[in-house]
Amino acid sequence: MDYIKLSKEISYALRHAPWEYELELDKDGFVQISQLIDALNNGDNYGRTVTIYDLTRINAESDKKRFEIKDDRIRALYGHTIPMHISKEIVTPPNILYHGTTYKAANLILDTGLKPMRRQYVHLSVDIDTAERVGRRRDGSPVILKVDAAKASADGIIFYEGNDKVVLADFVPGEYISRLK
Ligand code: HQG
């Protein structure tokens, strides 16, 4: 099984286009595993048959925890762009968070704050290494921004659970952001 390809397709289905798979997400972004498996195997299935075992392997085969399985349901933990709002659990953030991005975006962010852009939430990294990897998707030598999450949180900015490396927010004003490198 090509787990990278499968992970990309499930990300697409659960984050961006569930209707293409006739999936209905609940308010937390979960769908029934059986429905997802049927949809994956019924469409253009690339000659593969996905089983529940494969779904349990995806996180293990990756350096990122993109999905969560709970009982008979599965969801993407972050990244959603669908119009229906996915609720996330509120968390107390670590004191400092990071965000890796391009030079051009970094200057705009310092001015106007971190915005979710096409996604439902802003994505922040818990460490510099993770932020570097996020930023390198767009720029070989990304800018790393530092977010004073302790101060932002004390001032009422709300943070939400993503996964072990990702923390989410609705918006982070520029006053809490500085350039690390
Ligand atoms: C930028 C991947 C101008 C922001 C990653 C980013 C992550 C602004 C881009 C997850 C801005 C949005 C999310 C502003 C933000 N002006 N640009 N005011 N505010 N931006 O892809 O954080 O592999 O939606 O800096 O690893 O890059 O898919 O967000 O460059 O965890 O699982 O707008 O997606 O995970 O880009 O990445 P994205 P992101 P997966």
Side-chain angles (χ1 to χ4, degrees):
M1 182 72 60
D2 181 341
Y3 284 111
I4 294 177
K5 200 167 178 177
L6 181 61
S7 171
K8 285 191 173 159
E9 187 175 4
I10 296 176
S11 287
Y12 178 70
L14 298 183
R15 293 174 175 178
H16 311 304
W19 51 86
E20 283 185 30
Y21 294 77
E22 292 178 26
L23 296 172
E24 220 170 287
L25 274 59
D26 72 11
K27 67 173 182 35
D28 301 315
F30 279 109
V31 298
Q32 292 291 325
I33 288 175
S34 57
Q35 275 178 19
L36 176 64
I37 288 179
D38 282 352
L40 292 168
N41 290 335
N42 283 342
D44 179 4
N45 67 5
Y46 308 105
R48 65 171 191 204
T49 303
V50 178
T51 65
I52 185 160
Y53 171 78
D54 297 315
L55 300 188
T56 64
R57 290 303 302 158
I58 291 184
N59 281 335
E61 296 282 336
S62 166
D63 57 347
K64 289 183 176 179
K65 189 170 184 267
R66 293 188 171 92
F67 310 104
E68 178 184 25
I69 289 177
K70 209 170 186 182
D71 304 322
D72 56 352
R73 299 174 307 152
I74 184 168
R75 68 173 169 179
L77 285 170
Y78 58 87
H80 299 87
T81 63
I82 49 171
M84 187 191 103
H85 184 73
I86 301 298
S87 6
K88 302 298 301 179
E89 199 157 310
I90 293 175
V91 292
T92 303
N95 288 344
I96 306 289
L97 285 163
Y98 303 91
H99 181 81
T101 191
T102 61
Y103 178 82
K104 192 174 162 197
N107 287 332
L108 288 164
I109 290 166
L110 288 167
D111 258 9
T112 63
L114 258 169
K115 300 177 186 171
M117 308 305 275
R118 284 176 54 249
R119 303 200 198 250
Q120 295 193 6
Y121 296 93
V122 168
H123 289 59
L124 299 157
S125 303
V126 300
D127 54 46
I128 297 170
D129 191 48
T130 304
E132 291 265 7
R133 282 183 219 197
V134 174
R136 272 203 296 270
R137 289 157 48 244
R138 301 186 193 286
D139 190 322
S141 50
V143 172
I144 305 301
L145 299 172
K146 186 174 147 182
V147 174
D148 188 343
K151 184 159 195 308
S153 179
D155 290 350
I157 303 289
I158 297 173
F159 293 86
Y160 306 90
E161 185 172 43
N163 67 10
D164 53 334
K165 302 280 185 196
V166 177
V167 174
L168 306 171
D170 299 308
F171 169 68
V172 182
E175 63 188 280
Y176 303 106
I177 307 171
S178 56
R179 192 179 157 145
L180 187 73
K181 61 175 177 174

